[in-house]
Amino acid sequence: MTTLDFQIKTKELIDGLKGVCANYGLGNDGNEFKIITQVFLYKFLNDKFAYEVKQLDEKLANAESWEQAISEYSDNDYEMLLLQLNADTAKLKPEHLITNLFSKQNEADFAKTFDDTLRDIAINNNDIFSVKTAGGAKVTLFDRLSEFISDTSLRDDFCRAMINKLTGFSFEHIFNQKFDFYATIFEYLIKDYNANAGGKYAEYFTPHAVAKIMAAIMVNKPVQNVTCYDPSAGSGTLLMNLAHAIGEDKCTIYSQDISQKSSNLLRLNLILNNLVHSIQNIIQGNTLLNPYHVNEKGELEKFDYIVSNPPFKLDFSDFRDDLDTKENNDRFFAGIAKVPAKAKDKMAIYPLFIQHIMYSLNTGGKAAVVVPTGFITAQSGIDKKIRQKLVDEKMLAGVVSMPSNIFAATGTNVSILFIDDEDKGNVVLIDASNLGETIKDGKNQKTVLSESEEKKIIQTFNNKIPEDDFSVVVNYDDIKAKNYSFSAGQYFEVKIEYVDITHVEFEDKMNGFKSNLTTLFAESTELEKEIKKQLEGLNYE
């Protein structure tokens, strides 16, 4: 079976799970994403376990039924087998396997057996797979999924339908696939659950092209043993692209996000992308109010690479004053937005994330942040102060202004701000607003970049190539002279093209202009007369 076949089969499995949810009244239910992602993950962990144990024991690999063969192990032999597993593989018991549940599906209280099995897997692997909250609590791998069915008489049938979807094919032959395969699967898996649903902390899915550009510009040389951080991680698209560019075995991921849903999706993304070793660093909590990652001195941790697509506007009035403290003076050096009398949901929160990122950057570190394009030209206030610091301390690597509608869910124009604490050379400003093709994405218009356009942006930035009406390379004094503007367009040369014409041609053009003006003036005079006539005819009744 080819990679494409597996991709098709995987998407069919996801669609099948969604179909079961719909049949039992959970289609578009708030808990549907938990059921889909957790059952998919149960299948994935089972098949990963099968793949790993067969690598360790040839008898299992050659057995007609490896599940039957492994169930015949003595307790000591089984324990020794588990000790040899890779650290990123869930340690399962024979009773945890899909085939075991499949064989028990006609027994009474199958829903309880199903839930107990998943919960037991979660408890046994808690140290590896649990996500922590900022308060220290652990969010385990699996919920009791049948309990999302309110009609208790349907729970057994629901769980039977689920387990029957998990047989028929195995992921075993695709564990040597690379990032792009799993990125496609992950995006398909969560496509209905990671959109702006209008909630206070709605998640936005960062387009793959934006994430790829950010990673390729930041990681332009080999590195080893580096730390990567996202203070508003969402489902992890930016972190996954960054880790892929560096090498999953050469970096450790850290993140924080206020959304429990996002943290669970990020955990799934880490498992799919061979980054299980970083799950312990995934924190669900308020980054701005209670940043979790600190060093042994209790100071905020510094990171080698930081990426972020933070929320732009958000009502944070309920904890705004808690941020405005003496302890936060250095972190929020440019200030904190005041609470408006009206439209609190329009409070600009992204400047706080930019300041937090600058404060959290290691010496010689790099960062890339998605910002509203208005940030790069604001003439006063917090935005201007942040830009001044980036220039005055020579931390600005450059800016790429993206095409409009690069995010289908929001009409806000965005730019990518690149920060580099090591490179003190010239700054690259790119206006990519004219690139891309507009397509229909549901009810919205979306701009999609071609692979060649992505490559053009990356190569232009990394090689610092100036190009008319597309990119400029400037120094810090140039930026100060332009009132700290980061907009490429303000640095483009205005070119006037001169065309040689004869005296006769000049006279003809001028006569033509005069003739047109005479006609327009005559029409204007007639129009004035008509208007006055109409006004004189108006009477008060």
Side-chain angles (χ1 to χ4, degrees):
M1 191 178 291
T2 66
T3 299
L4 179 60
D5 292 331
F6 269 109
Q7 203 168 82
I8 293 170
K9 285 287 187 182
T10 303
K11 291 181 178 181
E12 287 176 355
L13 168 62
I14 295 167
D15 290 340
L17 296 176
K18 290 181 179 180
V20 172
C21 285
N23 291 339
Y24 285 85
L26 291 170
N28 298 318
D29 181 88
N31 292 309
E32 184 189 16
F33 91 94
K34 291 183 179 180
I35 296 169
I36 301 300
T37 56
Q38 290 185 30
V39 173
F40 179 89
L41 183 55
Y42 170 56
K43 165 69 172 171
F44 188 87
L45 293 179
N46 256 263
D47 292 349
K48 181 73 179 296
F49 179 79
Y51 173 81
E52 293 291 345
V53 296
K54 288 178 183 179
Q55 302 299 307
L56 295 172
D57 190 336
E58 190 176 339
K59 292 180 181 178
L60 294 178
N62 295 326
E64 185 175 340
S65 170
W66 74 270
E67 297 96 337
Q68 177 62 36
I70 203 171
S71 69
E72 295 170 358
Y73 272 44
S74 68
D75 290 344
N76 286 339
D77 288 344
Y78 199 89
E79 188 63 31
M80 285 298 297
L81 184 69
L82 295 184
L83 289 173
Q84 296 177 69
L85 289 175
N86 290 329
D88 61 353
T89 303
K91 293 176 171 57
L92 305 182
K93 302 173 185 177
E95 58 266 31
H96 293 155
L97 303 179
I98 290 172
T99 50
N100 184 63
L101 281 181
F102 183 80
S103 67
K104 293 182 177 179
Q105 63 178 295
N106 293 321
E107 294 180 4
D109 296 325
F110 179 68
K112 183 177 184 306
T113 303
F114 183 90
D115 287 340
D116 287 348
T117 299
L118 268 61
R119 290 293 291 175
D120 196 42
I121 294 172
I123 292 168
N124 286 350
N125 294 276
N126 208 25
D127 291 342
I128 304 173
F129 291 103
S130 62
V131 169
K132 286 181 287 190
T133 68
K138 290 188 174 182
V139 182
T140 57
L141 200 56
F142 297 120
D143 295 299
R144 304 190 72 84
L145 298 181
S146 75
E147 293 181 1
F148 293 126
I149 301 287
S150 31
D151 186 342
T152 56
S153 68
L154 296 176
R155 289 178 179 175
D156 287 347
D157 288 339
F158 171 74
C159 292
R160 290 186 188 106
M162 280 292 175
I163 202 68
N164 279 299
K165 290 295 180 183
L166 304 186
T167 60
F169 92 105
S170 173
F171 288 119
E172 288 180 53
H173 301 291
I174 60 171
F175 289 117
N176 59 350
Q177 293 301 314
K178 301 300 180 183
F179 169 76
D180 289 339
F181 176 86
Y182 292 111
T184 301
I185 294 305
F186 181 77
E187 289 178 18
Y188 191 81
L189 181 62
I190 70 166
K191 67 184 177 71
D192 296 328
Y193 313 123
N194 202 44
N196 177 14
K200 182 175 180 181
Y201 297 109
E203 294 80 19
Y204 291 87
F205 187 83
T206 307
H208 191 62
V210 174
K212 181 181 175 182
I213 289 167
M214 290 169 72
I217 288 175
M218 293 178 73
V219 187
N220 55 13
K221 62 181 180 181
V223 294
Q224 293 276 351
N225 300 321
V226 294
T227 55
C228 304
Y229 173 57
D230 189 338
S232 56
S235 57
T237 304
L238 294 180
L239 284 171
M240 295 307 102
N241 277 267
L242 179 59
H244 178 56
I246 294 170
E248 291 82 359
D249 59 339
K250 297 179 177 66
C251 64
T252 304
I253 300 294
Y254 294 80
S255 80
Q256 191 163 345
D257 196 289
I258 200 166
S259 165
Q260 182 174 315
K261 180 173 79 171
S262 289
S263 298
N264 284 330
L265 292 176
L266 174 55
R267 170 170 55 188
L268 173 60
N269 217 349
L270 290 171
I271 293 171
L272 292 179
N273 285 287
N274 202 29
L275 285 158
V276 170
H277 62 275
S278 291
I279 291 178
Q280 60 184 328
N281 304 320
I282 306 308
I283 304 301
Q284 186 250 307
N286 188 325
T287 305
L288 300 176
L289 184 60
N290 297 304
Y292 181 86
H293 298 293
V294 296
N295 60 26
E296 61 276 2
K297 296 179 181 178
E299 302 165 337
L300 283 190
E301 191 66 76
K302 307 290 185 179
F303 301 96
D304 301 315
Y305 290 87
I306 304 178
V307 287
S308 186
N309 175 20
F312 292 169
K313 297 182 184 298
L314 193 70
D315 178 7
F316 61 98
S317 58
D318 52 350
F319 62 88
R320 188 263 174 213
D321 290 344
D322 294 325
L323 299 175
D324 196 3
T325 63
K326 184 178 179 180
E327 292 76 19
N328 277 329
N329 281 349
D330 289 338
R331 185 162 64 124
F332 301 128
F333 63 90
I336 302 169
K338 297 195 181 320
V339 179
K342 297 180 180 179
K344 292 181 181 179
D345 60 324
K346 298 293 192 293
M347 291 177 71
I349 196 170
Y350 70 89
L352 292 175
F353 279 98
I354 299 174
Q355 294 175 79
H356 173 77
I357 288 166
M358 292 170 66
Y359 187 80
S360 301
L361 198 61
N362 227 340
T363 302
K366 298 183 179 184
V369 191
V370 179
V371 298
T373 293
F375 164 80
I376 67 176
T377 56
Q379 293 300 300
S380 61
I382 296 172
D383 289 356
K384 176 75 174 295
K385 290 179 182 177
I386 293 172
R387 298 204 316 273
Q388 284 178 314
K389 186 178 179 73
L390 288 170
V391 171
D392 293 344
E393 297 192 5
K394 296 185 175 180
M395 295 176 67
L396 178 65
V399 172
V400 177
S401 295
M402 301 299 289
S404 60
N405 298 320
I406 198 77
F407 289 80
T410 172
T412 305
N413 289 336
V414 304
S415 295
I416 307 172
L417 172 69
F418 290 93
I419 303 170
D420 192 331
D421 187 55
E422 181 180 45
D423 185 2
K424 306 298 183 181
N426 289 335
V427 175
V428 183
L429 303 177
I430 294 177
D431 181 1
S433 61
N434 293 321
L435 299 184
E437 176 187 2
T438 301
I439 63 170
K440 192 78 171 174
D441 185 12
K443 297 179 180 178
N444 302 308
Q445 296 287 331
K446 181 179 180 180
T447 301
V448 177
L449 294 174
S450 68
E451 190 172 335
S452 62
E453 288 172 328
E454 292 174 13
K455 187 178 294 185
K456 178 181 181 180
I457 293 171
I458 294 165
Q459 291 180 343
T460 299
F461 196 106
N462 285 341
N463 297 318
K464 296 188 175 182
I465 301 170
E467 181 181 321
D468 288 350
D469 299 326
F470 180 71
S471 62
V472 292
V473 180
V474 297
N475 61 45
Y476 290 108
D477 289 335
D478 294 332
I479 298 174
K480 290 177 183 178
K482 290 286 188 180
N483 200 23
Y484 295 91
S485 172
F486 293 175
S487 172
Q490 294 195 21
Y491 298 85
F492 291 154
E493 290 184 18
V494 177
K495 296 184 178 180
I496 302 175
E497 293 187 3
Y498 295 92
V499 180
D500 291 332
I501 60 175
T502 65
H503 179 73
V504 173
E505 289 173 331
F506 177 78
E507 290 294 334
D508 287 344
K509 282 184 176 290
M510 293 304 295
N511 289 333
F513 293 150
K514 291 176 183 177
S515 177
N516 287 338
L517 283 173
T518 300
T519 302
L520 291 172
F521 288 154
E523 291 177 354
S524 174
T525 301
E526 291 301 316
L527 184 60
E528 288 179 20
K529 291 179 181 178
E530 182 63 26
I531 293 172
K532 288 179 181 179
K533 181 179 177 181
Q534 293 295 332
L535 288 173
E536 289 172 357
L538 293 175
N539 294 312
Y540 176 74
E541 294 292 341

